[in-house]
Amino acid sequence: MRKKLLSLALMALVACSAWAQSPNSDYLCFTANTAGSTVELVKNGDACDVVIQFSTNHGDSWQTVDFSIETTTGVILLNDAGDKVYFRNAADEVATGFSLNSNSYYQFKMSGNIAASGNVMSLIDKRCGATTIPCAGCFCCLFYECQSLISAPELPATTLTDYCYGSMFCKCPNLRTAPELPATTLTDNCYGSMFHSCTSLKSAPNLPAMTLANNCCQYMFKDCINLESAPNMPAMTLATKCYLYMFAGCTNLKSAPKLPATTLADYCYQYMFEGCTGLKSAPELPATTLKTRCYQYMFSGCTGLTSAPELPATTLATATYCYSNMFEGCTGLTSAPELPATTLANYCYQYMFKGCTGLKTAPELPATTLKTRCYYYMLQDCTSLNNISVVAVNATNSKDWVKGVSSSGTFACPSTVTTTSPGTSANPVGWTVKNSYDLTITDAGWASMCVNLPLQVPTGVEVYYASAVDGSTITLTQIEAGTKIATKTAVLVKGTGTVSFPIMGEAGTAYTDNLFVGTSVDKAFNADKNGAVYVLSQVDSTGKPLFQNYVGTTLGAHKIWLPASAVGDSNVKELHFVFDSEKTTGINVIERSDNSGNGMMYNLNGMRVDGNYKGIVIMNGKKVYNK
């Protein structure tokens, strides 16, 4: 395609107008920081026909840029440092077009060291008052590969068009500052590759937009290797590929922006932080319903990442590849997030933690029914991994999922899982296989438990959940021995020593009235952000366990808590759940010291029991704890 260059030689002077008399003096301006710098405006392809003027004497006179003459004499020479050249559209009305796309566009070419300022809208509006971009692709590629550009002009438009700023500053390696971007509604690909490979850029402009569009920010800051901070990104509803590759290759990015969106779209975060080796922590990802490939490769290659975000999503059914490759190659990752979904999608966890050499414990995998290739290569080459818990696994859906893990470890699964021939598509070779979750109970006789696996209550222990709270009194409901309980059932357990809870291969009972909440992994906690909670504490002055306000920063794996919202009284600092002799607080049951007494006893299901029954019974109209 023939490239047309402007000619400044022998250009005719147009009508002069004094700078002070012009309607708006905020024209697009280029200032030389070094003597001998040059500026040239080039028309590529079939961009819109416009009349552009330039002035090198502060608007005392204007000349017309001639795009029809193919010559190299159209270079504007800025002889001395501080020299300026201004550009504006010659028409009295706002132009209806300018550039069109990456094949038909206007482009500034420069040499030396040049700072841009003023309003880029002067190229379409002589008065610089327009805030609506008139056509798709309007300013795309305008400064493409301008190695001399060190600062950007103002971009005041609030109404955008498709691809309007696409690749606008792409490959400007010396651009140090980015312009403000005030638009609140984005359009398809409007910021696509806008600052791609701006290797000197250290900070990004805020992105106040609440309404996104497909591809709107894709590749926007890709390979900006010196970018240290990301913009605010408050949008709650995403669009297809909206953040695709947005910060990929930003190796100096140390913190990610907040990502509050709860409504996702296909490919929305795909590759977003790929290769951000300086990233230490990941943003929260609050969405509970996922979309196809929404998190695929999102943090792949982030070798500095030490902790993963919480992944609360429980609805994956149609979200093919949703977590695929999400943390692949994150060698600094030492712990995995909780994966609570029990209904999976095709390829959902494929390659998710592949090559995470620092990972020691895999997330518990509660799914009872697998989908196509859902675990393919999921934990491959996690060389430090020595603990895996899973409900269902088979060669068809789990090819090489544990290939290359530690040579020894513990593989926990239901007794129904075939482990007689261990291999890379089942359980790891040389590992100890067990069919239970083991809970150690301290001398106080009570422990809390929350496991992201379906379990069965064994005999010889008492298991309770919180069904009500009244003031500082917790009402506990017992779960009978032999009951199969659902994944993540938060409970209190009374017993001694180590208690083994068999892992089930099928879903158990979920207690919807349970007020206890729990986690199967270490959970970062902040009371101001998460709300106050009560946790099982040490024994009180009488030697009995109690619940107290939690003041730490990390709630341990498999622990439970009672949210302050369940108590409703901020003045309550502790909750007793074992009856004390003064009955000031405690479980609303009475503890019997023996099995004597003449009253008839009934269990909580209304069945009559005798004195050998252990646990909570109803006697003489009261709840009694029978030892």
Side-chain angles (χ1 to χ4, degrees):
M1 184 174 293
R2 195 165 67 98
K3 184 179 291 187
K4 300 177 182 178
L5 303 178
L6 66 87
S7 174
L8 301 181
L10 303 177
M11 287 184 178
L13 290 176
V14 297
C16 297
S17 60
W19 186 256
Q21 296 174 336
S22 63
N24 190 310
S25 60
D26 193 22
Y27 300 124
L28 175 63
C29 175
F30 299 109
T31 302
N33 286 336
T34 56
S37 297
T38 62
V39 177
E40 178 184 10
L41 183 58
V42 175
K43 182 179 181 181
N44 295 292
D46 298 320
C48 298
D49 290 331
V50 293
V51 178
I52 301 295
Q53 298 174 327
F54 71 96
S55 173
T56 56
N57 54 10
H58 299 279
D60 288 338
S61 61
W62 293 90
Q63 293 177 289
T64 298
V65 177
D66 187 351
F67 298 106
S68 63
I69 302 174
E70 185 168 333
T71 177
T72 58
T73 60
V75 175
I76 300 172
L77 177 63
L78 301 176
N79 290 299
D80 300 317
D83 283 356
K84 302 176 186 292
V85 59
Y86 300 87
F87 288 85
R88 72 180 188 184
N89 193 288
D92 290 332
E93 303 297 328
V94 177
T96 58
F98 192 61
S99 294
L100 296 175
N101 53 52
S102 58
N103 293 318
S104 299
Y105 61 96
Y106 290 94
Q107 177 188 13
F108 282 104
K109 292 189 174 184
M110 304 176 182
S111 68
N113 186 291
I114 294 176
S117 59
N119 188 348
V120 75
M121 298 293 280
S122 70
L123 293 173
I124 60 169
D125 177 22
K126 186 176 187 177
R127 291 171 173 77
C128 299
T131 57
T132 298
I133 293 178
C135 65
C138 189
F139 297 117
C140 71
C141 305
L142 186 63
F143 299 101
Y144 182 71
E145 292 186 330
C146 281
Q147 297 191 14
S148 298
L149 190 69
I150 64 170
S151 63
E154 297 170 13
L155 305 178
T158 53
T159 301
L160 308 184
T161 57
D162 296 349
Y163 197 52
C164 58
Y165 294 138
S167 300
M168 188 175 188
F169 301 99
C170 182
K171 297 184 180 180
C172 291
N174 293 301
L175 184 68
R176 299 168 192 168
T177 58
E180 294 183 10
L181 299 171
T184 56
T185 298
L186 304 189
T187 55
D188 287 3
N189 214 10
C190 58
Y191 296 147
S193 299
M194 188 175 183
F195 300 100
H196 189 316
S197 298
C198 289
T199 53
S200 294
L201 196 65
K202 291 190 175 183
S203 62
N206 285 331
L207 298 174
M210 293 297 290
T211 302
L212 306 187
N214 296 343
N215 310 291
C216 57
C217 298
Q218 67 172 358
Y219 298 90
M220 188 175 184
F221 299 99
K222 187 178 186 298
D223 295 331
C224 290
I225 57 175
N226 281 302
L227 191 71
E228 297 177 350
S229 60
N232 291 330
M233 302 170 67
M236 298 297 293
T237 299
L238 304 189
T240 300
K241 296 184 180 180
C242 58
Y243 297 144
L244 176 73
Y245 283 104
M246 188 174 183
F247 299 101
C250 292
T251 54
N252 207 36
L253 187 67
K254 295 178 174 59
S255 61
K258 292 182 179 179
L259 299 174
T262 53
T263 301
L264 306 189
D266 295 346
Y267 305 84
C268 56
Y269 291 129
Q270 190 184 39
Y271 293 99
M272 187 176 186
F273 300 101
E274 182 200 32
C276 290
T277 54
L279 195 65
K280 303 296 182 184
S281 60
E284 294 182 13
L285 299 172
T288 56
T289 300
L290 304 190
K291 295 290 185 177
T292 297
R293 299 182 190 264
C294 57
Y295 294 138
Q296 188 181 33
Y297 290 101
M298 187 176 184
F299 300 102
S300 63
C302 292
T303 55
L305 194 67
T306 58
S307 62
E310 292 185 27
L311 299 174
T314 54
T315 303
L316 311 184
T318 60
T320 307
Y321 292 98
C322 53
Y323 290 125
S324 176
N325 307 81
M326 186 176 186
F327 300 103
E328 181 180 353
C330 291
T331 55
L333 196 66
T334 57
S335 61
E338 192 172 71
L339 298 175
T342 56
T343 301
L344 305 186
N346 295 336
Y347 312 93
C348 59
Y349 297 136
Q350 180 176 266
Y351 294 100
M352 187 175 184
F353 299 100
K354 185 179 185 295
C356 292
T357 55
L359 193 64
K360 295 183 178 180
T361 301
E364 292 161 354
L365 299 171
T368 56
T369 302
L370 306 187
K371 289 294 183 72
T372 302
R373 297 176 63 169
C374 55
Y375 293 151
Y376 259 42
Y377 308 100
M378 182 182 183
L379 302 168
Q380 188 184 68
D381 297 328
C382 292
T383 54
S384 300
L385 190 64
N386 57 22
N387 195 306
I388 298 174
S389 299
V390 65
V391 173
V393 63
N394 58 58
T396 302
N397 300 300
S398 310
K399 181 180 179 182
D400 290 336
W401 81 303
V402 290
K403 183 179 180 180
V405 297
S406 176
S407 59
S408 61
T410 300
F411 186 81
C413 62
S415 59
T416 53
V417 172
T418 302
T419 58
T420 54
S421 301
T424 57
S425 294
N427 56 294
V429 176
W431 282 32
T432 299
V433 176
K434 70 174 186 176
N435 303 125
S436 64
Y437 171 77
D438 296 335
L439 176 68
T440 300
I441 301 177
T442 65
D443 293 339
W446 291 86
S448 65
M449 183 182 77
C450 180
V451 183
N452 196 22
L453 300 168
L455 303 176
Q456 185 176 46
V457 177
T459 58
V461 295
E462 298 162 20
V463 178
Y464 300 92
Y465 71 90
S467 57
V469 177
D470 183 9
S472 58
T473 301
I474 304 175
T475 299
L476 297 184
T477 297
Q478 185 173 8
I479 302 175
E480 300 293 337
T483 302
K484 298 172 184 176
I485 59 176
T487 61
K488 288 204 68 181
T489 299
V491 294
L492 283 175
V493 180
K494 182 174 175 60
T496 58
T498 299
V499 180
S500 295
F501 287 76
I503 300 172
M504 296 288 98
E506 58 193 56
T509 302
Y511 297 91
T512 57
D513 58 336
N514 188 7
L515 298 178
F516 285 143
V517 181
T519 178
S520 66
V521 298
D522 288 346
K523 177 181 175 62
F525 176 80
N526 182 301
D528 293 335
K529 178 179 178 182
N530 304 109
V533 299
Y534 300 87
V535 297
L536 181 64
S537 185
Q538 300 299 316
V539 296
D540 61 16
S541 59
T542 65
K544 298 172 183 176
L546 48 79
F547 266 38
Q548 290 182 318
N549 277 130
Y550 184 66
V551 294
T553 57
T554 302
L555 292 163
H558 302 120
K559 301 301 182 184
I560 73 169
W561 61 91
L562 185 72
S565 58
V567 178
D569 184 352
S570 60
N571 293 319
V572 175
K573 301 302 180 185
E574 62 184 36
L575 298 119
H576 294 252
F577 58 90
V578 175
F579 180 81
D580 63 35
S581 58
E582 296 181 356
K583 300 182 183 179
T584 54
T585 59
I587 303 173
N588 57 350
V589 300
I590 302 171
E591 183 175 337
R592 290 172 54 88
S593 60
D594 55 52
N595 295 331
S596 63
N598 297 321
M600 285 188 258
M601 294 187 295
Y602 300 86
N603 66 18
L604 296 178
N605 293 319
M607 300 173 59
R608 185 174 175 179
V609 296
D610 60 21
N612 293 320
Y613 183 89
K614 309 297 183 184
I616 296 176
V617 297
I618 298 174
M619 185 172 68
N620 298 328
K622 296 181 179 180
K623 288 181 181 178
V624 176
Y625 184 80
N626 198 52
K627 279 186 163 183

